[in-house]
Amino acid sequence: RMRASVLVLGPLIARMGEAKVSLPGGCAIGTRPVDLHLTGLKALGAEIDIDAGYVVARAPKGLIGNRVIFPKVSVGATHNVLMAAALAKGETVIENAAREPEITDLAHCLVAMGARIEGISYSRLMGGLKKAKVNLDRKMLADLALNDPTAFKAVVELAKKA
């Protein structure tokens, strides 16, 4: 079990239409609930099931932009939904988004890759896809707890091979 496994769920669903990742585990600072991740992805149209320790998600017709309201701030869920929304059809608004430096850095990376994101560094993020391109020649600020920019880069590389 990998504690950051759920962070590739959003980009994989958005790019591939389906994904299966293990539930997170192995975190030294405690459990990592994924309810906000799943709620946010469901708001974008993902069908999600939990099966034998795995999150199985599908969006056969792709993800659709929508309004996602987090009841509490979550850095991981903001990362996940932001990456998924960058490839969703239409506009997504994320309310009560985390504002940590890692979120800002990821948002700037997604913009460099073709996403349109407004409200970077604020608790309300709005955006959608402008034109997708891959730009991995950019240093990213690593999330000290999750290192999800590395996970996102891995998803991009996998998607290029698909």
Side-chain angles (χ1 to χ4, degrees):
R1 287 164 49 117
M2 183 176 140
R3 95 182 133 123
S5 60
V6 76
L7 288 172
V8 298
L9 187 62
L12 280 174
I13 299 167
R15 178 66 174 92
M16 309 303 289
E18 62 185 355
K20 179 179 179 181
V21 301
S22 65
L23 286 166
C27 183
I29 63 172
T31 59
R32 297 278 179 162
V34 296
D35 57 326
L36 297 178
H37 296 253
L38 304 184
T39 300
L41 294 171
K42 285 179 183 178
L44 299 179
E47 302 164 2
I48 298 178
D49 294 305
I50 307 295
D51 183 30
Y54 288 89
V55 178
V56 181
R58 291 175 193 78
K61 296 182 181 180
L63 297 176
I64 308 294
N66 199 355
R67 188 170 182 212
V68 177
I69 304 170
F70 290 127
K72 63 181 182 178
V73 175
S74 168
V75 173
T78 300
H79 273 126
N80 214 344
V81 173
L82 185 60
M83 289 187 286
L87 290 175
K89 298 173 192 132
E91 182 172 279
T92 298
V93 176
I94 303 173
E95 301 278 3
N96 205 22
R99 295 180 283 176
E100 277 72 5
E102 312 85 270
I103 298 291
T104 299
D105 194 56
L106 176 63
H108 285 296
C109 177
L110 292 172
V111 168
M113 295 173 79
R116 181 184 54 77
I117 302 173
E118 299 172 20
I120 296 173
S121 298
Y122 294 94
S123 63
R124 184 172 196 253
L125 297 170
M126 299 176 7
L129 182 63
K130 203 168 50 177
K131 184 177 179 188
K133 61 183 175 181
V134 177
N135 177 4
L136 297 178
D137 294 332
R138 181 181 187 283
K139 289 214 179 251
M140 294 182 69
L141 176 67
D143 180 321
L144 299 177
L146 301 173
N147 201 20
D148 51 52
T150 301
F152 181 67
K153 286 181 181 182
V155 170
V156 170
E157 287 301 314
L158 286 172
K160 288 191 326 190
K161 294 176 184 175

